[in-house]
Amino acid sequence: MGKARPIIIETKTFTKVGDARKFFSEMLQGYSVGDRIDDEDTSHLTALLRRHDEEVEKVGSGIAHISVGPAPDYINERCFWITRTDGSRIDFSYQHCLLKKPTD
């Protein structure tokens, strides 16, 4: 069995990846498609997004809000969507943010 890999973001610390995966999965499933994410959950997602290797591209002009929408490449799946301050939108996967990084 491998060693647990903690996930540390500005707003929360998870002892292992599975705990972080569960937290963000439950968050995603707690909203309906089209719902805007509330301020507390947005703070966690924004902190998590800093782990994304395409953070600059995803954030773009800045985050106006985050919502839940259909996953572009998967039928009957959902993901988080960033609406940028310029009105453009882009999806992001919380699971991608949890992949092992060189700093982990």
Side-chain angles (χ1 to χ4, degrees):
M1 186 179 275
K3 179 181 169 188
R5 180 172 54 91
I7 298 291
I8 301 167
I9 60 175
E10 292 175 16
T11 59
K12 210 161 179 52
T13 297
F14 301 94
T15 306
K16 57 188 180 208
V17 177
D19 294 342
R21 188 172 291 117
K22 181 179 183 217
F23 177 81
F24 288 106
S25 174
E26 288 176 354
M27 180 188 295
L28 179 62
Q29 298 307 316
Y31 291 91
S32 297
V33 170
D35 285 351
R36 278 191 184 194
I37 304 301
D38 70 31
D39 290 343
E40 181 179 352
D41 289 343
T42 293
S43 69
H44 295 309
L45 289 169
T46 302
L48 179 67
L49 192 55
R50 291 188 181 97
R51 292 181 50 86
H52 200 294
D53 57 348
E54 297 174 352
E55 175 193 6
V56 172
E57 175 189 338
K58 297 291 183 182
V59 172
S61 63
I63 298 173
H65 66 271
I66 300 175
S67 58
V68 173
D73 297 327
Y74 301 96
I75 297 171
N76 296 325
E77 294 291 325
R78 56 172 81 188
C79 66
F80 294 109
W81 282 83
I82 297 169
T83 299
R84 299 180 184 121
T85 55
D86 66 3
S88 63
R89 297 180 72 225
I90 193 167
D91 65 299
F92 83 95
S93 165
Y94 73 85
Q95 293 186 53
H96 182 89
C97 297
L98 297 175
L99 296 175
K100 187 167 177 57
K101 307 291 182 222
T103 56
D104 288 347

